[in-house]
Amino acid sequence: MVGRLDTGIDVLDRKLDGGLPPGCIVAYTAQPASQSELLLYELTAARGTLYLSTERSDDAVRHAIEASPSEVGSPTVRHVTSDDPLEEATRLIGALPDGANLIIDTMDVLEHADTDEYVTFLNELKSQMLETGSIAVLHCLEGDDVPGGRTRTIHAADAVFDLRTKTAGSELENHLTIPKFRGGAQPTEAIKLELTEEVAIDTSRDIA
């Protein structure tokens, strides 16, 4: 579709009719034990990327990206470390160039902030994405301690990518669903992915 920004992941772009609309915010939910970061790393190959890490150090993230066997870019990596992570993240996002990717990995630290301040952050984030024609991917880990701001993240997001990992016999299977997509036709089927050397569609035959 004209005007869309490709993600750089062919299987996703096909399902999304060419990619994501400029200004789109994606909430990417996954279990901590999955290899969900591989999808984030591969997104950096599509265009210039600002990668904000709220937990791992910038050196650790750079090393993981450089060690990834899939095609990746050279993102600007920043570790959000201040006592006011919302303020620091807002300042860093304010320097985002036009037509870029923004990745926040993970959202948990920000989602623990005061509700009103977090809602303001999300609204300012949306405005910045629209102004620059960029795409934001917010990595949201699932678990027993889900931050209070998670529902606000999901509500504010234009699209939700939900990665589920399960054991089928002796193999791990990864299924990506898109339960929310304001940018056009919503894919109705789960995408079976291989999260090994690169993010690719799993073409193996399913046996009931």
Side-chain angles (χ1 to χ4, degrees):
M1 186 175 290
V2 176
R4 296 215 172 183
L5 297 176
D6 64 282
T7 65
I9 301 174
D10 291 343
V11 62
L12 268 182
D13 291 334
R14 289 196 300 272
K15 294 289 186 179
L16 298 173
D17 292 330
L20 295 165
C24 184
I25 295 178
V26 178
Y28 174 39
T29 59
Q31 298 160 314
S34 69
Q35 296 194 89
S36 53
E37 292 89 356
L38 283 176
L39 187 144
L40 298 178
Y41 301 159
E42 199 157 333
L43 291 174
T44 67
R47 62 190 55 84
T49 300
L50 173 61
Y51 197 117
L52 299 186
S53 174
T54 61
E55 297 183 2
R56 294 180 295 163
S57 70
D58 46 2
D59 285 341
V61 172
R62 288 193 193 96
H63 176 75
I65 294 174
E66 291 169 0
S68 175
S70 60
E71 182 179 353
V72 297
S74 300
T76 298
V77 182
R78 295 290 182 266
H79 186 197
V80 177
T81 60
S82 74
D83 293 334
D84 189 346
L86 287 181
E87 188 278 332
E88 184 178 5
T90 299
R91 176 177 56 81
L92 291 168
I93 294 168
L96 193 72
D98 291 346
N101 281 346
L102 169 68
I103 294 173
I104 303 181
D105 177 23
T106 66
M107 287 299 292
D108 296 49
V109 171
L110 305 181
E111 290 171 327
H112 280 297
D114 173 81
T115 298
D116 290 341
E117 292 180 1
Y118 184 60
V119 169
T120 298
F121 167 80
L122 289 172
N123 285 324
E124 292 178 352
L125 173 63
K126 179 61 178 180
S127 296
Q128 185 71 359
M129 293 302 103
L130 289 171
E131 182 179 337
T132 60
S134 300
I135 294 172
V137 179
L138 315 180
H139 193 202
C140 304
L141 293 182
E142 298 183 328
D144 296 331
D145 183 24
V146 176
R150 179 60 51 82
T151 55
R152 274 78 182 180
T153 303
I154 300 300
H155 178 67
D158 302 297
V160 175
F161 293 175
D162 184 34
L163 181 69
R164 298 287 174 176
T165 302
K166 66 178 183 179
T167 302
S170 60
E171 297 182 355
L172 286 176
E173 291 185 353
N174 299 285
H175 295 267
L176 184 72
T177 58
I178 304 177
K180 179 181 181 181
F181 187 47
R182 291 179 180 144
Q186 177 188 20
T188 57
E189 296 181 355
I191 307 168
K192 191 176 178 183
L193 298 178
E194 290 182 348
L195 292 177
T196 50
E197 292 187 351
E198 62 180 342
V199 179
I201 190 168
D202 186 343
T203 58
S204 62
R205 182 179 178 183
D206 290 325
I207 300 176

